């Protein structure tokens, strides 16, 4: 498509990379570079999605110089590769040097907070009219949109609890399994989910720190699975990780989850509840199906950059880019359901 912007999706053969590609092909006129280490799955993804608008490219993110070369002439790099604990911190700068915005769906505290606090990177991006926006996914972005809306409703709230529910029919990518194994901590507590009571584990996430810094809320974040047995088994197997190499165990459990992936719900739900000192509570949620929810914040921000509606430059706390009401309207237009306060 002549003159259409190009977006490089890093991690495009993965669960969320493919989902994002599908979203961008429908919602924008962009052509896509589908990048990752193994060319085979990228060629297959390009064939399946739209061969006329998708170009597969072998690229290893462990080499920021290779990303810089690949990103030249593109409008943005959208990174869905992970786990983000393993990403090279030089990558956003490499995109900026290439003249491309950097957007990612990272969920690790180290990655997201390091970027949000990096004034030098922010200055360099702003100086050349570009944006660096981390965490453009369920966490922290959608949870922060909900928390901001609840804060407006309940200005005296002191604490917050965020819960991510993952229905079993949502496919588990290798990087997502790896993130789960790296992030889960402690013993689970039983919580109410859309499919009844389930154990929920505390997960490391940038969300609590951002809630404290921006909204003054002391927060906890947990994740509940529809069928938790697989996650229990994967956690219990962690001591074997050294035998399998860093990707081996996540790859094994991503594979083992496939035969039961047809069971249960394809729902994903992020809910946030706030409470004030006298115990008054308010809650709100976003629900999506078929793993669309985690890629929508990135799609919304990319559309805002393409249309010129997002004018701020430098490192963005993207959840503040639109009002909570405007975020909700844009997400509803793309199929997310909003529960709780209007
Ligand atoms: N913030 C949130 O709320 C949120 C929500 C959902 C998912 N996530 C995160 O999104 C990430 C992706 O999850 P997923 O389920 O889509 O995982 P996945 O299916 O394993 O996909 C990962 C992709 O990254 C590529 N990749 C891995 N290492 C790479 C490298 N060094 N260079 C280039 N490409 C590389 C993989 O392809 P190759 O192996 O061929 O390189 C694959 O295409 C995870 O870290 C997950 O935690 C965050």
């Amino acid at each position: 498509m002549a003159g259409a912007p190009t977006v490089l999706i890093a991690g495009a053969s993965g669960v969320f990379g493919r989902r994002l590609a599908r979203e961008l092909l429908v919602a924008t006129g962009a052509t896509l570079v589908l990048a990752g280490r193994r060319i085979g799955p990228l060629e297959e993804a390009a064939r399946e999605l739209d061969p006329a608008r998708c170009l597969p490219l072998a690229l290893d993110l462990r080499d920021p110089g290779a990303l810089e070369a690949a990103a030249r002439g593109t409008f943005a790099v959208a990174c869905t590769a992970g786990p983000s604990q393993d990403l090279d911190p030089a990558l956003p700068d490499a995109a900026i040097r290439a003249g491309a915005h950097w957007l990612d769906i990272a969920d690790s505290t180290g990655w997201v907070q390091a970027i949000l606090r990096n004034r030098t990177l922010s200055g360099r991006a702003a100086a050349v009219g570009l944006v660096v926006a981390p965490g453009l996914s369920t966490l922290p972005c959608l949870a922060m949109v909900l928390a901001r809306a609840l804060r407006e409703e309940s200005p005296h709230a002191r604490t917050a609890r965020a819960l991510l529910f993952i229905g079993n029919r949502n496919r588990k990518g290798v990087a997502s399994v790896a993130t789960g194994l790296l992030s889960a901590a402690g013993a689970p507590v039983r919580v109410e989910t859309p499919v009844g009571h389930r154990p929920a584990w505390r997960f490391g996430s940038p969300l609590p720190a951002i809630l404290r810094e921006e909204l003054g809320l002391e927060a906890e974040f947990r994740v509940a699975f529809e069928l938790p047995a697989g996650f229990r088994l994967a956690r219990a197997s962690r001591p074997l990780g050294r035998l399998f190499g860093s990707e081996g165990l996540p790859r094994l459990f991503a594979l083992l989850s496939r035969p039961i992936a047809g069971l249960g719900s394809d729902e994903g739900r992020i809910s946030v509840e706030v409470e004030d000192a006298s115990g008054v509570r308010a809650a709100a949620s976003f629900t999506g199906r078929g793993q669309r929810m985690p890629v929508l914040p990135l799609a919304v921000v990319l559309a805002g950059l393409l249309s010129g509606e997002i004018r701020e430059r430098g490192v963005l706390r993207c959840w503040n880019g639109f009002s909570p009401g405007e975020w909700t309207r844009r997400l509803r237009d793309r199929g997310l359901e909003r529960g709780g306060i209007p």
Side-chain angles (χ1 to χ4, degrees), residues 13-16 37-38 60-61 80 105 107 139 174-176 179:
S13 59
V15 171
F16 294 104
R37 288 168 300 181
R38 292 165 302 144
D60 192 337
L61 290 174
T80 60
I105 67 164
D107 44 14
L139 295 154
V174 175
S176 289
T179 302

Side-chain angles (χ1 to χ4, degrees), residues 38 66 73 78 109 115 125 128 132 136-137 143 162 218 245 265 267 272 288 296 314:
R38 292 165 302 144
T109 308
I115 291 181
V128 290
V132 175
L136 276 172
S137 188
E218 284 306 319
S265 153
E267 195 169 306
V272 178
L296 289 182

Side-chain angles (χ1 to χ4, degrees), residues 64-261:
L67 175 77
E68 183 179 341
R72 286 233 163 77
T74 67
F75 179 78
V77 172
C79 180
T80 60
S84 50
Q85 285 89 341
D86 291 349
L87 293 177
D88 189 320
L91 288 168
D93 246 327
I96 298 302
R97 277 198 304 278
H101 300 291
W102 170 274
L103 314 173
D104 69 53
I105 67 164
D107 44 14
S108 64
T109 308
W111 179 265
V112 174
Q113 287 292 71
I115 291 181
L116 293 180
R117 291 178 178 154
N118 191 336
R119 291 185 178 199
T120 315
L121 172 64
S122 189
R124 274 200 295 268
V128 290
L130 293 169
V131 150
V132 175
L136 276 172
S137 188
T138 313
L139 295 154
C141 187
L142 292 184
M144 282 304 293
V145 170
L146 294 171
R148 283 181 68 211
L150 290 166
R151 183 42 122 192
E152 286 173 8
E153 283 288 301
S154 311
H156 302 298
R158 296 233 180 116
T159 59
R161 271 181 302 188
L163 176 69
L164 174 63
F165 165 74
I166 304 176
N168 186 63
R169 244 191 298 151
N170 292 309
R171 215 185 115 195
K172 318 288 183 290
V174 175
S176 289
V177 176
T179 302
L181 293 176
L182 288 166
S183 308
V189 298
R190 283 187 87 71
V191 298
E192 178 74 37
T193 78
V195 295
H197 284 89
R198 291 289 185 279
W201 282 266
R202 201 150 36 76
F203 263 51
S205 160
L207 182 65
I210 296 171
L211 280 167
R212 195 178 317 113
E213 285 165 17
E214 293 199 14
L215 301 176
L217 294 166
E218 284 306 319
E220 174 181 271
F221 168 60
R222 288 184 182 269
V223 178
F225 299 91
E226 182 174 17
L227 299 183
F231 186 66
R232 280 189 201 280
L233 186 62
R235 278 202 87 201
S237 312
R238 276 190 307 182
L240 300 176
R242 260 180 265 131
L243 298 178
F244 289 89
S246 66
E247 282 186 40
L249 202 58
R251 211 168 272 289
L252 176 67
F253 277 96
L255 207 68
L256 289 176
S257 72
R258 286 198 190 174
I260 54 160

Side-chain angles (χ1 to χ4, degrees), residues 295-305 310 322 327 330-331 334:
V295 301
L296 289 182
L298 197 155
V300 166
V301 167
L302 187 69
L305 288 168
I310 297 179
F322 301 115
W327 259 113
R330 288 170 193 247
L331 292 163
R334 289 167 166 84

